[in-house]
Amino acid sequence: MSEQSNISQLSAQDAQFLYIQSATNLTHVMAVYIYDPSTAPGGKVRFKDIIEHMRKRMDISPMFKRKLYRLPMDIDHPYWVKDEHFDLEAHISHGRLPEPGDWRQFCIHVARHHSKPLDMTRPLWDMYVVEGLDNIPGYAKGSYAILTRIHHSTIDGVSGAHFFAAISDKDAKGTPAIPLPEGRPAAVDLPTVAEILSRAVNSTVSSPVKLAQALLKFTPALISTAQQSLKGGEDQTASGVPQTRFNGPVTPNKVFDAVTFDLEELKKMRLKVSDATINDVVLAICSGALRHYLTKHKELPEESLVAVAPVNARSRSGDDATPGNNISAMTIKIWSNIVDPVERLEAIKDTTRETKAAKSGLSARIMTDLTKHIPGVTMASVARILTDERFAPKMSNLMISNVPGPQIQLYMNGAKLTHQYGLAPLAHGMGLFIATPSYNGTISFSIISDRKMMPDVEFFRECLQRAFDELREAKPNAAARRPKKAAVAPKKPQTPKDGSVMYRRVAKKPRTVAPKAIGGSTPKVK
């Protein structure tokens, strides 16, 4: 963001999602919302009602009416400018699910829409209303879907969740779910040629100095990480990321499927291992599903699969509403080579805790910081190389994203929101993405992959269900079964006769020792 309020330039992190986009590597995200109109006035919602609702909510975010202005040869990061020809109805379309209107047809319809590029000459979002969802188990008769696509340069998972809450209502009467902003977003204007050139030159000249300063700041941590790598740390494998069917070039043709679970069940599962989190349970279910899937195809590697998990880098100061990206990531083993589901969850818990504080979290922070100081023309050139299928690095086997959503019932136009799914970009060398948005006591595991890599996506959905059932039925580990000792309450201070304050000694709590990493008691693998 510039010093002048009417000029808005993309950050380096936002811009990189533009630079890495290609015909086979689209970088928009898509949310799928299912509505039951039985709660709406008259039990029906018309297409024009949806348009008028969005017209009233246009001022909640500047992203709705601004478009990109890219510079020649990407000499600097692009700017946001006002779309003088903005037409709301050009961004909202309408269709109907083909017969027989079942779940399989719906998944195909969703995948095809996700596989189409956005119009990059207009504001980078659109909505597609789909009717005819009458033969899908769990959906009320008359239900319809709204498929909302937004380019990743505009929004990340956290700001996307805030955007959705802002266009939703907390009751069927139309009361906004969150307070709407007063007034309209500040208009964004095209900078002058002099301003563009000045910024581009300044960025190119100052970037090497800032880059060097950032490298110096991280030098001690980099040296420590290098020393650990040379020693061959316990989490190192000979091949790093194992080769799987998901580590090849992706095509423009995507597949989608999903399964929804009760969030309370996942909360119970995390109690099977001491200090495990919901995110650990999500990773464990995905790991178990991949184990079943690859075993069926006789492709399960001996080493653990590796996943990239996005990490919210926003502060707690309430900047969720700010458009754009503020994310980091961690790369972790998901222990797909462990047979027992509880042992797998425990290993994941230990690994995520170590990773957040150790080198994988460090590398993510380094990359996030360093990209701020790379000139636009350099970043664009490097991005084109890295997104070429011949040079794409094998950083992981898949990506797993867990973004908590609103845990209250939401509405739009009086229609009740019943289900929610999420789709995200793939990349050469990483052709599987599992998004797990939660909403109103449920969590949906959304599968996005390439049609060639996963032609049997419905079987992988069954594997997720099987992994969920196994972890739910498994017995907790010994530490989780052991009752916790009651905390020793501190004694109240006593006042001796001389008036001085004296405290009784309170027994110290035993020092918590991190459980041994896998290796002390070797879990059963393969």
Side-chain angles (χ1 to χ4, degrees), residues 10 14 61 73 82-83 113 133 168 173 179 214 235 242 249 251 256 264 319 325 419 421 462 490 500 517 522:
L10 274 70
D14 293 342
S61 173
M73 298 181 292
K82 180 181 179 181
D83 183 3
H113 188 65
L133 316 182
S168 300
K173 299 177 182 178
D235 60 341
T251 72
F256 164 79
E264 283 299 320
D319 59 352
N325 293 268
H419 297 76
Y421 313 105
E462 295 170 4
S500 62
T522 305

Side-chain angles (χ1 to χ4, degrees), residues 9-217:
Q9 187 176 20
L10 274 70
S11 70
Q13 195 173 52
D14 293 342
Q16 69 183 353
F17 288 104
L18 292 172
Y19 301 147
I20 65 175
Q21 175 156 305
S22 66
T24 58
N25 206 43
L26 301 176
T27 50
H28 58 254
V29 295
M30 185 168 82
V32 180
Y33 308 119
I34 311 299
Y35 291 94
D36 172 9
S38 64
T39 55
K44 188 175 182 179
V45 176
R46 298 170 296 179
F47 179 58
K48 69 175 185 179
D49 295 332
I50 297 173
I51 293 177
E52 290 309 309
H53 176 84
M54 290 305 301
R55 196 183 305 279
K56 294 175 182 177
R57 302 290 170 99
M58 284 288 98
D59 293 337
I60 65 173
S61 173
M63 57 159 272
F64 283 115
K65 297 181 180 180
R66 67 185 188 184
K67 64 179 182 179
L68 283 174
Y69 180 78
R70 294 186 73 160
L71 305 178
M73 298 181 292
D74 289 316
I75 60 172
D76 200 2
H77 299 318
Y79 291 83
W80 292 116
V81 297
K82 180 181 179 181
D83 183 3
E84 297 289 347
H85 307 291
F86 176 77
D87 180 4
L88 175 61
E89 296 188 31
H91 289 263
I92 306 178
S93 57
H94 177 262
R96 190 172 186 84
L97 197 64
E99 295 295 339
D102 57 12
W103 175 251
R104 180 176 178 276
Q105 282 291 340
F106 180 64
C107 289
I108 293 172
H109 213 62
V110 169
R112 285 176 178 169
H113 188 65
H114 183 59
S115 301
K116 298 176 182 177
L118 283 166
D119 186 344
M120 303 298 287
T121 65
R122 301 191 302 192
L124 302 183
W125 68 276
D126 64 22
M127 286 183 169
Y128 179 37
V129 182
V130 183
E131 293 185 292
L133 316 182
D134 294 328
N135 292 318
I136 299 178
Y139 289 7
K141 291 292 182 181
S143 291
Y144 60 90
I146 297 182
L147 282 53
T148 303
R149 298 191 303 170
I150 306 175
H151 199 275
H152 216 322
S153 63
T154 302
I155 211 164
D156 64 14
V158 176
S159 57
H162 182 275
F163 155 78
F164 169 66
I167 65 173
S168 300
D169 301 322
K170 61 182 180 182
D171 54 41
K173 299 177 182 178
T175 307
I178 60 175
L180 300 180
E182 297 181 2
R184 295 185 176 183
V188 286
D189 300 322
L190 179 65
T192 65
V193 174
E195 288 173 324
I196 291 175
L197 291 176
S198 174
R199 286 166 172 267
V201 170
N202 180 66
S203 173
T204 304
V205 172
S206 64
S207 288
V209 176
K210 293 179 180 178
L211 187 63
Q213 291 173 341
L215 281 169
L216 286 172
K217 182 175 68 173

